[in-house]
Amino acid sequence: MEHQLSLFYGLSFLTAILAFAFAAYLYLWVKKQPAKNAKIIEVSKLIKEGANTFMRREYKILAIFALVAAVIIFILLPEPVWSGDPLDNLAMAIAYLAGTALSAIAGKIGIMVATLSNSRAAEGAQKGIKPAFLIGFRGGAVMGLLVVGCSLFGVAAVLMIVGDASILLGFSFGASSLALFAKAGGGIFTKTADVSADLTGKVELGIAEDDPRNPAVIADNVGDNVGDVAGMGADLFDSNVAAMTSALVIAQSLSGDGMANVSMIFCYAILGLLSSIIGIATARVGENGNPTRALNSSTYVTTAVFLVLTAGATALFEGFSWRIWGASATGLLVGVIIGITTDYFTDDTKPIVRKVAKASGSGPAFTILSGVSYGFISALPAMAGIAVSALVAYKLCEPMGAGYAVFGISMAAVGMLSIVGMIISNDAYGPIVDNARGLAEMGGLGEETIQTADALDSAGNTVKAVTKGFSIGAAGLTVISLLGAFMSEVNVALEAAGKPLITGFDIMSPTVFFGVLIGAAIPAVFSAMLILGVDKNAQRMVAEIHRQFNTIKGLKEGKPGVQPEYGKCIDIATSGALRELIPAGLMCILATIVVGFIGGPLAIGGFLLGNIVSGLLLALFMSNSGGLWDNSKKYIESGEEGGKGSEAHKAAVIGDTVGDPFKDTAGPSINTQITVVSLVASLLSTIFVAFSLFG
Amino acid sequence: MEHQLSLFYGLSFLTAILAFAFAAYLYLWVKKQPAKNAKIIEVSKLIKEGANTFMRREYKILAIFALVAAVIIFILLPEPVWSGDPLDNLAMAIAYLAGTALSAIAGKIGIMVATLSNSRAAEGAQKGIKPAFLIGFRGGAVMGLLVVGCSLFGVAAVLMIVGDASILLGFSFGASSLALFAKAGGGIFTKTADVSADLTGKVELGIAEDDPRNPAVIADNVGDNVGDVAGMGADLFDSNVAAMTSALVIAQSLSGDGMANVSMIFCYAILGLLSSIIGIATARVGENGNPTRALNSSTYVTTAVFLVLTAGATALFEGFSWRIWGASATGLLVGVIIGITTDYFTDDTKPIVRKVAKASGSGPAFTILSGVSYGFISALPAMAGIAVSALVAYKLCEPMGAGYAVFGISMAAVGMLSIVGMIISNDAYGPIVDNARGLAEMGGLGEETIQTADALDSAGNTVKAVTKGFSIGAAGLTVISLLGAFMSEVNVALEAAGKPLITGFDIMSPTVFFGVLIGAAIPAVFSAMLILGVDKNAQRMVAEIHRQFNTIKGLKEGKPGVQPEYGKCIDIATSGALRELIPAGLMCILATIVVGFIGGPLAIGGFLLGNIVSGLLLALFMSNSGGLWDNSKKYIESGEEGGKGSEAHKAAVIGDTVGDPFKDTAGPSINTQITVVSLVASLLSTIFVAFSLFG
């Protein structure tokens, strides 16, 4: 069996390298597409420079944070360095840094490709949907392949070298702490720029979305890259690593053939990546085809291929269980179902978006009230889906022996995330074609090209909602299994300390309950801090835009040769995002530590539960309300309910502005927040067992 | 000891009768205040008729619902009638009906006094703050005294007659099921009218809040009565009964001197009512005094008197424990602290309201975003307060023996609700002076009188936020102890069925977890249904107002003798509220039943936890955001940030409109929703033990 595991380590590296090679091929393919329009090249360069400046400044801050964290980790984890084996501490610290580094690299390369693809997609749009779609999608796929390749490679390498999955918690924490800040920082940047550009441009002046007169327009396009490409990539890198880590931590504590289970986790990850490669390679759209359908059908292809391949592996390899295959398949299918229900609430061909558009006719208060309401309702099916898949996975695997039930849940998360390569490709496609639309307008490529780019952009929006539902669901399942991982870690520590083990977290215990209530409040406070960050920042940027319109002569009127000072807006977005990015993330980590020191492991168990539950609820609510408002606005802009410029449109724009930080700053950051908190809890379990006030 | 309990039954009846007598005295005092202005008498009559029509139609529907429920209860509870003693079933059904009847009577009398006090307070305002304050406050106090008197009388009578606290669950369910619908129906009515009146009057036409030209103005004033007076009264009647019931159910299962504990519960309730009477009797405001301070200081007086009296009782009576006094005092003090933090987030002399007002200058999206954010943050201190008080009460009472820990939590809830008579008086004061302000304007009493009424109204708003925080906190603690009551009921059923008892609800159990996730989604869906009810209904009413403005000649211009058709708007609010009131409440009850039949008692334990946690979070968020927006608008109207008519003001009005159903429809209904769900669970525990899919 040891032999079999070596086989899967080898295959993991090979598959990761295959993914990198395919990514390189796609990158070169995108690069050789034509980019000739001088105006577009100029603007695209501005976007690229803005994105790089932000990333450089952000990474500088994060490097300091990571180094400080690595030192703390070296001193304290897995056990205080003076009481354990210092080599373990060193391994943990290095694994942590490796996690942060891989996450940063994936983000950086993603930005590189995205800022390369946007201009080419814009020019491709002149020739029609087909070539532009392929450029946008393949640019996104580079990111998807890299992220999944890095996570598979990293997890396999760390585990092979240290041979102990607990050290992987450090790697995973590295990935997720970076993701937390990257998502928060990028999210604040992108929405500061987007909101300010919309309010001053669309609402006040009535000019188009990407009108080059608007000083915030470049910052807005930079934001798409740093928020949606780099941030989302870091987020899904982190989810993927966390899902594998929690499965591996639980697998190594299982009775029976633990090695077979470890092999199986790698096997599923490998097959997931292969399925995504197949899905990516076959993605196509016809000459006048529907890009939404093309993106969705690639997802279904990937799903089907994965289910077939893993079934084959289960039949082939000794020690692979059909029950676990079932758990994993359940996770994946529920992911698809969550995606479909999300789509129901956010797609403008479905009734909900139209109801909100209609309500906008009575004024913005109704836009907000109906959007909030449907957002609340949309949380139910997704939460029920997560609840049912966890229940089914548990019951399926329970007969296999002690600990297998929770392992089943972790494999449902692995299953749901297996096609994450495809998911990221779809997701990164969005900001690329969104940029392309902007470039087409700023480069003056004509109305027809803009319309083509619009169609591509709208598909990006719809698919984004689906992938968001998917990643929230996956985070939910991952964190449930991290709760299991936390309990095993606590029991290891309790056993070492000669204290009685815990068998669970009873909600009738006031210590657990205490944790639940505090834990539930954290995602709300976290979201609020991010939204207020956008709010404050956007107010500063709006003031700057007004200043430019008032002082730069001929700017408002569009006098030829007069250009706004784009750099000032990029600066405001950058420095604001960097200022706001640390406090919110740090608050969550500190809250976990405080609760742990007050109530010990039992309070932390409750804290994690409260955090997951309210985190899922708020993440679903905010992502879906935001998507709903965005598409209601687009629906009205397509000429319904009075069309552009009507009162309904004005109301819908306000709804969209509220929804922007909901769906692109706070909502998706909550995923990462709950993962980070769970990992901090697992990492510090030994310390909480040793010191706590009431524990 | 039996002797001692009889003493407390006797004292309960006596105190309740004292409260009724004092209420009658205050009623007659209010009635003999002058009401001479013909215009005011006419309008006040319209309001009274509108409120009575709504109440009559609402109670007709609720009577049918209650009768159906009583029949189901008779057939099934506490055990199916064919397998247990039919007399028990009859007792349960009658207790249920008594609960609904007392709740309905308290609501009805509250409306009667409120519609009597409003006109007198308006005329009192001509003579200054002092007399008007006293009329408003004493009118509210009639309601407060009645509600608390009824609940003490009802609980004592039911328990004395049947001698089994489990039957009280039926009484409590009667009170809370009626409260659920009364709160939902009244909440939808009041906000439909308020939102429509504001949008068409203030925003579109720029006329004053209570301008008699607005066809919705009478409906708006009717709404204050049916929503805030009758609805809030039913809500707090229900909380008070539920807190006592859960304490009594737990007390009767305790080892040791159960009778002393039962006596103590009644003793605390009696002393709470006496303290409220003292607080009410001493409430005064100086000639140019500050009404907010007067209301708050009466609350503090009541709190101090209660703490001293209960300490005296603990010293005096054999078997009364200081530990339990400590638990109860903790609950009360945390209630006060929650009130103070709520005040921090919603008072316009504090920074938060001013920040939101400032953000409004950048447009309505910023009003919404900052209000949502601060609302989220405001949930943390209150939830931490509830968590800490539950933990302290538990730890204080744990050494007393098995079961005492949870009893301690239930006594913290009883403590927090002990001063509820005072709380309701403060709360009902709000809509009375709000009405008075409207009447002063419609009766043409002059600018000075309107300003006096405004000052009184603004105090009502601030105090309302505080009492809301209070009642949410109390609901939280009550429901935690109801979770304990549910577990004892389940174990009684399990013991009878010869099955192993449960010792708690472990969140690592997938059945519990399944319940938690579904339970957490319910308050969100429930809120959404109510908000959508307001949303749909207000759209209908806005259309009707536009019709009247367009077709009734001279109305807009205020031509003398031209009157709008007030009745049409009252009709729309009434029939809409009645249509929307049943589905949301029924959804919660059905969801509980479905989860119980799928997952059995374990899933229900999780379901209740999820429900409490997300319910508290959303209730705090919505109440506080709503209060915050309302006061930001008022702050701007006082001349800050550009004052009335500025862009900031328009944005703030939109925020206030969003906040209206948040704070007066959905937010406060969640309290009742979580209580109802907990009671349904306890009542059906026997059935869930016998039949469930995975339980």
Side-chain angles (χ1 to χ4, degrees):
Chain A
M1 270 305 148
E2 190 60 53
H3 176 73
Q4 187 178 316
L5 180 56
S6 304
L7 169 69
F8 283 107
Y9 280 143
L11 287 175
S12 298
F13 297 130
L14 271 181
T15 317
I17 290 166
L18 176 66
F20 297 148
F22 189 42
Y25 162 76
L26 294 177
Y27 175 75
L28 294 172
W29 182 87
V30 169
K31 201 172 177 182
K32 75 163 197 260
Q33 302 305 310
K36 289 172 198 150
N37 182 307
K39 178 73 188 163
I40 287 189
I41 292 175
E42 184 203 328
V43 176
S44 163
K45 207 174 137 228
L46 285 175
I47 295 174
K48 194 172 171 176
E49 281 171 11
N52 284 334
T53 310
F54 173 74
M55 296 296 281
R56 209 165 36 242
R57 288 176 59 184
E58 181 182 57
Y59 282 173
K60 210 178 276 172
I61 292 177
L62 292 183
I64 298 169
F65 176 88
L67 284 176
V68 173
V71 171
I72 296 174
I73 287 172
F74 173 74
I75 296 172
L76 291 176
L77 297 175
E79 280 178 72
V81 66
W82 52 87
S83 66
D85 180 353
L87 263 184
D88 281 353
N89 293 47
L90 191 64
M92 184 71 102
I94 293 176
Y96 171 80
L97 288 174
T100 60
L102 279 181
S103 170
I105 290 171
K108 178 77 193 157
I109 298 183
I111 290 282
M112 202 176 80
V113 195
T115 52
L116 182 85
S117 317
N118 54 11
S119 53
R120 289 162 173 83
E123 297 201 23
Q126 288 181 293
K127 293 181 221 139
I129 285 214
K130 198 178 166 181
F133 171 83
L134 218 53
I135 296 168
F137 181 75
R138 291 189 164 178
V142 173
M143 176 82 180
L145 292 165
L146 273 177
V147 163
V148 185
C150 282
S151 60
L152 182 56
F153 195 97
V155 171
V158 172
L159 191 61
M160 199 180 77
I161 295 168
V162 298
D164 175 8
S166 309
I167 301 293
L168 268 180
L169 289 170
F171 180 72
S172 186
F173 180 56
S176 63
S177 65
L178 202 89
L180 182 66
F181 297 118
K183 198 85 202 84
I188 293 173
F189 186 113
T190 180
K191 292 302 128 176
T192 296
D194 189 5
V195 163
S196 310
D198 280 0
L199 280 181
T200 52
K202 279 195 195 174
V203 179
E204 292 178 13
L205 295 185
I207 58 181
E209 171 138 6
D210 291 299
D211 193 295
R213 282 173 285 173
N214 195 326
V217 72
I218 301 287
D220 187 9
N221 282 288
V222 170
D224 290 340
N225 290 293
V226 301
D228 293 352
V229 179
M232 183 55 91
D235 178 15
L236 284 167
F237 176 69
D238 140 65
S239 299
N240 202 20
V241 170
M244 288 185 75
T245 299
S246 69
L248 287 165
V249 168
I250 298 170
Q252 79 175 8
S253 74
L254 291 176
S255 61
D257 193 353
M259 280 306 156
N261 292 321
V262 172
S263 298
M264 188 164 47
I265 296 167
F266 283 107
C267 178
Y268 276 51
I270 291 164
L271 296 176
L273 183 46
L274 287 176
S275 313
S276 296
I277 291 176
I278 294 171
I280 290 167
T282 57
R284 287 285 182 287
V285 68
E287 204 55 70
N288 287 307
N290 179 334
T292 310
R293 204 171 302 142
L295 293 168
N296 282 336
S297 70
S298 312
T299 307
Y300 298 139
V301 166
T302 310
T303 304
V305 171
F306 176 77
L307 290 177
V308 171
L309 288 181
T310 48
T314 307
L316 195 65
F317 289 102
E318 197 189 331
F320 281 25
S321 155
W322 282 106
R323 287 182 177 275
I324 292 184
W325 180 82
S328 164
T330 308
L332 183 52
L333 291 177
V334 168
V336 173
I337 292 170
I338 292 177
I340 292 170
T341 59
T342 310
D343 184 57
Y344 176 76
F345 280 93
T346 54
D347 186 343
D348 66 4
T349 61
K350 308 276 170 7
I352 303 292
V353 169
R354 297 181 173 201
K355 280 187 192 168
V356 174
K358 189 164 186 311
S360 301
S362 309
F366 293 100
T367 314
I368 304 292
L369 286 171
S370 55
V372 166
S373 301
Y374 289 117
F376 276 158
I377 294 175
S378 75
L380 179 63
M383 288 177 83
I386 296 168
V388 169
S389 64
L391 187 59
V392 169
Y394 190 102
K395 293 279 174 195
L396 263 179
C397 300
E398 200 175 17
M400 294 175 71
Y404 273 91
V406 178
F407 183 60
I409 296 179
S410 72
M411 287 305 290
V414 170
M416 207 185 252
L417 281 165
S418 59
I419 61 165
V420 72
M422 186 65 212
I423 298 289
I424 300 173
S425 308
N426 283 350
D427 214 79
Y429 159 88
I432 294 175
V433 294
D434 191 346
N435 263 226
R437 195 210 163 282
L439 289 168
E441 181 155 347
M442 289 184 273
L445 297 189
E447 197 48 44
E448 200 179 327
T449 308
I450 293 175
Q451 268 174 20
T452 306
D454 250 343
L456 294 168
D457 184 20
S458 160
N461 267 315
T462 308
V463 172
K464 209 160 130 188
V466 177
T467 61
K468 248 173 225 163
F470 214 91
S471 63
I472 294 170
L477 284 177
T478 303
V479 180
I480 298 171
S481 63
L482 277 173
L483 193 60
F486 170 68
M487 198 169 87
S488 356
E489 291 291 307
V490 166
N491 277 335
V492 171
L494 286 171
E495 204 166 19
K499 293 184 186 168
L501 303 191
I502 56 173
T503 54
F505 306 98
D506 177 10
I507 56 184
M508 297 305 293
S509 147
T511 325
V512 174
F513 198 89
F514 167 81
V516 172
L517 282 181
I518 309 278
I522 296 302
V525 176
F526 174 76
S527 310
M529 290 173 79
L530 295 183
I531 296 175
L532 286 174
V534 173
D535 192 11
K536 277 188 272 182
N537 227 10
Q539 288 181 48
R540 277 192 287 265
M541 195 184 284
V542 166
E544 166 63 20
I545 298 171
H546 287 158
R547 187 197 63 78
Q548 292 198 21
F549 277 136
N550 292 333
T551 57
I552 303 177
K553 275 186 188 157
L555 178 61
K556 252 189 204 168
E557 299 73 25
K559 208 169 137 191
V562 176
Q563 272 218 341
E565 301 166 11
Y566 297 123
K568 288 260 170 75
C569 287
I570 296 179
D571 257 3
I572 290 174
T574 302
S575 51
L578 296 179
R579 191 167 39 229
E580 311 286 347
L581 121 191
I582 298 279
L586 216 53
M587 181 277 298
C588 308
I589 297 176
L590 289 178
T592 316
I593 296 175
V594 169
V595 169
F597 281 136
I598 292 177
L602 286 180
I604 287 289
F607 182 82
L608 295 184
L609 177 78
N611 200 259
I612 296 169
V613 169
S614 94
L616 282 176
L617 180 66
L618 294 179
L620 289 162
F621 153 56
M622 292 201 272
S623 294
N624 293 345
S625 296
L628 180 53
W629 281 317
D630 192 352
N631 282 337
S632 297
K633 183 199 67 177
K634 291 213 159 73
Y635 177 70
I636 293 177
E637 285 175 354
S638 78
E640 304 287 335
E641 303 291 344
K644 268 191 189 177
S646 64
E647 287 302 312
H649 184 233
K650 277 184 199 154
V653 171
I654 292 170
D656 181 38
T657 313
V658 171
D660 271 337
F662 272 32
K663 75 179 198 302
D664 291 323
T665 311
S669 298
I670 291 178
N671 281 353
T672 322
Q673 184 263 305
I674 57 183
T675 316
V676 167
V677 159
S678 304
L679 288 167
V680 170
S682 287
L683 283 167
L684 297 182
S685 50
T686 320
I687 295 172
F688 295 149
V689 166
F691 314 98
S692 76
L693 209 56
F694 293 107
Chain B
M1 270 304 147
E2 188 59 51
H3 176 74
Q4 187 177 317
L5 180 56
S6 306
L7 170 70
F8 283 106
Y9 280 143
L11 287 174
S12 298
F13 297 131
L14 270 181
T15 318
I17 290 166
L18 176 66
F20 296 148
F22 189 42
Y25 162 75
L26 294 177
Y27 176 76
L28 294 172
W29 182 87
V30 169
K31 201 171 178 186
K32 76 164 197 260
Q33 301 305 311
K36 289 170 198 150
N37 182 305
K39 177 72 188 164
I40 287 190
I41 291 175
E42 183 203 329
V43 176
S44 163
K45 204 172 142 229
L46 285 176
I47 295 175
K48 192 172 173 177
E49 279 171 13
N52 283 335
T53 309
F54 173 73
M55 296 296 282
R56 206 165 36 242
R57 287 177 59 185
E58 181 183 58
Y59 282 172
K60 210 179 275 172
I61 293 178
L62 292 184
I64 297 168
F65 175 87
L67 283 177
V68 173
V71 170
I72 297 175
I73 287 172
F74 174 73
I75 295 172
L76 290 176
L77 296 175
E79 280 177 73
V81 66
W82 54 90
S83 67
D85 180 354
L87 263 184
D88 281 352
N89 293 46
L90 191 64
M92 184 73 101
I94 293 176
Y96 172 80
L97 287 175
T100 59
L102 280 181
S103 171
I105 290 170
K108 178 76 193 157
I109 298 183
I111 289 284
M112 201 176 82
V113 193
T115 51
L116 182 84
S117 317
N118 55 11
S119 52
R120 287 163 175 82
E123 298 202 22
Q126 288 181 294
K127 291 182 223 139
I129 285 213
K130 197 177 167 182
F133 171 83
L134 219 54
I135 295 168
F137 180 76
R138 291 189 164 178
V142 173
M143 176 81 178
L145 292 164
L146 273 177
V147 163
V148 185
C150 283
S151 60
L152 181 58
F153 195 98
V155 170
V158 171
L159 191 61
M160 198 181 77
I161 295 167
V162 298
D164 175 7
S166 308
I167 301 294
L168 268 180
L169 288 170
F171 180 72
S172 185
F173 181 56
S176 65
S177 65
L178 202 89
L180 182 66
F181 297 118
K183 198 84 201 86
I188 293 173
F189 186 113
T190 178
K191 291 303 128 175
T192 297
D194 189 6
V195 163
S196 309
D198 279 0
L199 281 180
T200 52
K202 277 194 195 175
V203 180
E204 291 177 14
L205 294 186
I207 56 181
E209 172 138 3
D210 291 299
D211 193 295
R213 284 173 284 173
N214 195 325
V217 71
I218 301 288
D220 187 9
N221 281 291
V222 170
D224 290 340
N225 290 295
V226 300
D228 294 352
V229 178
M232 183 54 91
D235 177 14
L236 284 167
F237 177 69
D238 141 63
S239 297
N240 201 21
V241 170
M244 287 185 76
T245 299
S246 70
L248 288 165
V249 168
I250 298 170
Q252 81 176 9
S253 75
L254 290 176
S255 61
D257 193 352
M259 279 306 158
N261 292 320
V262 171
S263 299
M264 187 163 47
I265 296 167
F266 282 107
C267 176
Y268 277 50
I270 291 164
L271 296 177
L273 183 45
L274 287 176
S275 314
S276 296
I277 291 176
I278 294 170
I280 290 167
T282 57
R284 287 284 183 289
V285 68
E287 204 54 73
N288 288 307
N290 178 334
T292 310
R293 202 169 306 140
L295 292 169
N296 282 336
S297 70
S298 312
T299 308
Y300 298 139
V301 166
T302 309
T303 303
V305 171
F306 175 77
L307 289 177
V308 171
L309 288 181
T310 47
T314 307
L316 194 67
F317 289 103
E318 197 188 333
F320 280 26
S321 156
W322 282 105
R323 288 182 177 276
I324 292 183
W325 180 81
S328 163
T330 307
L332 182 52
L333 291 177
V334 167
V336 173
I337 292 170
I338 292 176
I340 292 170
T341 61
T342 310
D343 183 58
Y344 176 76
F345 281 93
T346 54
D347 185 342
D348 67 4
T349 62
K350 307 277 170 6
I352 304 292
V353 168
R354 298 179 172 201
K355 280 185 192 169
V356 174
K358 190 166 183 314
S360 301
S362 307
F366 293 100
T367 314
I368 303 292
L369 286 171
S370 55
V372 165
S373 301
Y374 290 116
F376 277 159
I377 294 175
S378 74
L380 178 63
M383 288 178 83
I386 296 168
V388 168
S389 63
L391 188 59
V392 169
Y394 190 102
K395 292 280 174 192
L396 263 179
C397 301
E398 201 175 15
M400 294 175 70
Y404 273 91
V406 178
F407 182 60
I409 296 178
S410 70
M411 287 304 290
V414 170
M416 208 186 252
L417 282 165
S418 58
I419 61 165
V420 73
M422 186 65 214
I423 299 288
I424 299 173
S425 308
N426 283 351
D427 214 79
Y429 158 88
I432 293 174
V433 294
D434 192 346
N435 262 227
R437 195 212 162 280
L439 290 169
E441 182 156 346
M442 290 185 274
L445 298 189
E447 197 48 42
E448 201 181 328
T449 307
I450 293 175
Q451 268 174 20
T452 305
D454 249 342
L456 294 168
D457 185 18
S458 161
N461 268 314
T462 308
V463 172
K464 210 161 132 187
V466 176
T467 61
K468 249 175 224 163
F470 214 93
S471 63
I472 293 169
L477 285 176
T478 303
V479 180
I480 297 171
S481 63
L482 277 173
L483 192 59
F486 170 69
M487 198 170 87
S488 354
E489 291 292 308
V490 166
N491 278 335
V492 171
L494 285 171
E495 202 165 20
K499 293 184 187 170
L501 302 192
I502 55 174
T503 54
F505 306 98
D506 178 9
I507 56 183
M508 297 305 293
S509 147
T511 325
V512 174
F513 198 89
F514 166 82
V516 172
L517 281 181
I518 310 277
I522 296 302
V525 175
F526 173 76
S527 311
M529 291 173 78
L530 295 184
I531 296 175
L532 286 174
V534 173
D535 193 12
K536 277 188 272 182
N537 226 11
Q539 289 182 48
R540 277 192 286 264
M541 196 184 284
V542 165
E544 166 63 20
I545 297 172
H546 285 159
R547 187 197 64 77
Q548 293 198 22
F549 277 135
N550 292 333
T551 57
I552 302 178
K553 275 186 190 159
L555 178 59
K556 252 189 206 169
E557 299 74 24
K559 207 169 136 190
V562 175
Q563 272 218 341
E565 299 166 12
Y566 297 123
K568 287 261 169 74
C569 286
I570 296 178
D571 256 3
I572 290 175
T574 302
S575 51
L578 296 178
R579 189 164 44 225
E580 309 287 348
L581 122 192
I582 298 280
L586 217 52
M587 182 279 296
C588 308
I589 297 177
L590 288 178
T592 316
I593 296 175
V594 169
V595 168
F597 280 136
I598 292 178
L602 286 181
I604 287 289
F607 181 82
L608 295 184
L609 178 78
N611 200 259
I612 296 169
V613 170
S614 95
L616 282 176
L617 180 67
L618 294 178
L620 289 163
F621 154 55
M622 292 200 275
S623 294
N624 292 345
S625 294
L628 182 52
W629 281 317
D630 192 351
N631 283 336
S632 296
K633 184 199 68 177
K634 289 214 160 73
Y635 178 69
I636 294 177
E637 285 175 354
S638 77
E640 304 288 336
E641 303 292 342
K644 268 191 190 177
S646 64
E647 286 303 311
H649 183 234
K650 277 185 199 153
V653 170
I654 292 170
D656 180 38
T657 313
V658 171
D660 271 337
F662 272 32
K663 74 178 198 303
D664 291 323
T665 311
S669 299
I670 291 178
N671 281 354
T672 322
Q673 183 264 305
I674 57 182
T675 315
V676 167
V677 159
S678 303
L679 288 167
V680 170
S682 287
L683 283 167
L684 297 182
S685 50
T686 320
I687 294 173
F688 295 148
V689 166
F691 315 98
S692 77
L693 210 54
F694 292 106

